Amino acid sequence: MSTISEYELVRKKIKLKGDKSSSKRKRKHKDKVGNKDAEPVEDEDKVKHGGWSKVDLVRSITGSVAIEFGNQTYVTALDNGLFTLGPPHKDGEGPLPEEVLTAINVSETKVAFKSGYGKYLGVHKDGTVTGRSDAIGPLEQWEPIFQDGKLALLSCTSCFMSVREEDEHLVALSKTAGPDQYLQIRTAAVVASDEGNEMPIEEKGNLSQIEENYVRKFQKFQDKKLKINTEDKSELKKAKKTGSLHETLLDRRSKMKADRYCK
């Protein structure tokens, strides 16, 4: 039986706005867009979910996240490696510790999720989603599909994640996304937006520098030495043109057996 002590989690709470005792300064003119003095708009959805915002960019799916199906019900990990839906939450409540996953950006388009038991979410041959893998392989990679304000998670089997009605277990069985496959991914971190979309620090520099940046970010430093793949970098140039640079970088790191997310 799982206990909260099995999870290393610090839950972030939102500081709700209260009434200010001091009177507001009157302005003769309306605030313009971008005015620093403009009153910030409270995110009601974020407040309702205990400070957890929904994400709308793949790069925002990182760190502590929760997968929400329906209204304030989250995917929760079971001690047998399966996943189900937890109980509905009241307004102002965030997800429980066992409902929090760790998300890892695998590439520009794919992510992986790790449960509080330290296992990665993957797809079993019968379509059941389980958390029993110690490393990220093809079965543990998920592609977030954003369309028309909706989000669904596509597995490597080309099936979308959903909750099976008869037993409420997490599965990936449907080839199409509909209401049963729509979900929200929520994070307690500050959500990135398309505005001011600054290039990540790892992406700056030439291909050799980019590869070294990612090695430094993900490498296991048992011997404190960088282990950079010395093979021809022409494949990196080709991968950058085809949009598969991050996957190629991951493959090159895995060959060095140095990446903490590779076998």
Side-chain angles (χ1 to χ4, degrees):
M1 201 66 182
S2 62
T3 61
I4 292 180
S5 62
E6 294 176 72
Y7 300 90
E8 298 178 358
L9 173 71
V10 176
R11 296 182 60 190
K12 299 180 180 179
K13 296 183 178 178
I14 188 170
K15 184 178 181 180
L16 299 178
K17 291 170 58 180
D19 294 330
K20 294 183 179 180
S21 57
S22 59
S23 60
K24 295 181 180 178
R25 184 174 55 189
K26 294 183 179 179
R27 293 185 176 87
K28 294 182 180 179
H29 302 285
K30 293 181 179 180
D31 290 318
K32 297 180 180 180
V33 176
N35 191 329
K36 293 182 179 179
D37 293 329
E39 186 74 12
V41 178
E42 190 70 82
D43 187 339
E44 293 182 2
D45 178 76
K46 182 177 179 180
V47 173
K48 181 178 179 181
H49 291 82
W52 290 70
S53 304
K54 57 185 178 183
V55 302
D56 55 10
L57 293 172
V58 176
R59 65 188 178 92
S60 297
I61 305 174
T62 184
S64 296
V65 301
I67 299 176
E68 178 188 25
F69 279 95
N71 184 23
Q72 293 178 270
T73 51
Y74 304 96
V75 169
T76 184
L78 302 176
D79 57 8
N80 60 1
L82 297 177
F83 296 86
T84 187
L85 280 185
H89 289 261
K90 298 178 181 178
D91 286 357
E93 292 182 350
L96 298 170
E98 57 267 32
E99 296 169 342
V100 175
L101 307 170
T102 301
I104 299 99
N105 287 135
V106 178
S107 69
E108 292 179 348
T109 59
K110 294 182 180 180
V111 297
F113 300 98
K114 184 166 63 173
S115 74
Y117 294 100
K119 305 293 184 179
Y120 293 96
L121 278 69
V123 184
H124 195 263
K125 60 183 179 181
D126 65 356
T128 304
V129 176
T130 63
R132 294 167 180 160
S133 176
D134 293 315
I136 301 173
L139 296 176
E140 289 73 42
Q141 297 185 31
W142 299 86
E143 183 177 359
I145 306 296
F146 295 95
Q147 186 173 339
D148 300 328
K150 298 179 175 63
L151 169 61
L153 283 174
L154 183 65
S155 72
C156 68
T157 61
S158 298
C159 292
F160 290 92
M161 181 186 290
S162 65
V163 178
R164 190 162 49 201
E165 186 175 356
E166 53 264 36
D167 57 12
E168 289 196 337
H169 284 163
L170 203 61
V171 294
L173 295 170
S174 177
K175 295 286 184 180
T176 59
D180 290 340
Q181 287 73 39
Y182 297 150
L183 54 87
Q184 294 289 353
I185 295 178
R186 294 190 174 274
T187 175
V190 176
V191 177
S193 65
D194 284 322
E195 297 180 5
N197 189 4
E198 185 180 351
M199 180 183 294
I201 189 170
E202 291 87 6
E203 303 286 330
K204 297 179 179 180
N206 58 37
L207 288 173
S208 294
Q209 291 170 325
I210 290 173
E211 181 167 31
E212 181 177 333
N213 290 340
Y214 276 101
V215 169
R216 289 183 182 278
K217 182 177 181 179
F218 293 116
Q219 180 173 297
K220 298 181 294 186
F221 285 95
Q222 294 98 331
D223 54 5
K224 307 298 181 181
K225 294 181 181 179
L226 284 175
K227 296 180 180 180
I228 299 177
N229 195 308
T230 57
E231 294 179 1
D232 185 14
K233 288 183 171 55
S234 60
E235 64 174 341
L236 293 179
K237 296 179 181 179
K238 186 184 298 183
K240 188 174 183 179
K241 291 181 180 179
T242 59
S244 59
L245 178 60
H246 289 79
E247 292 172 333
T248 303
L249 287 170
L250 179 62
D251 289 339
R252 287 170 65 89
R253 295 197 304 273
S254 67
K255 291 178 182 178
M256 303 304 295
K257 297 181 180 180
D259 194 295
R260 65 174 179 266
Y261 299 132
C262 301
K263 293 181 179 180

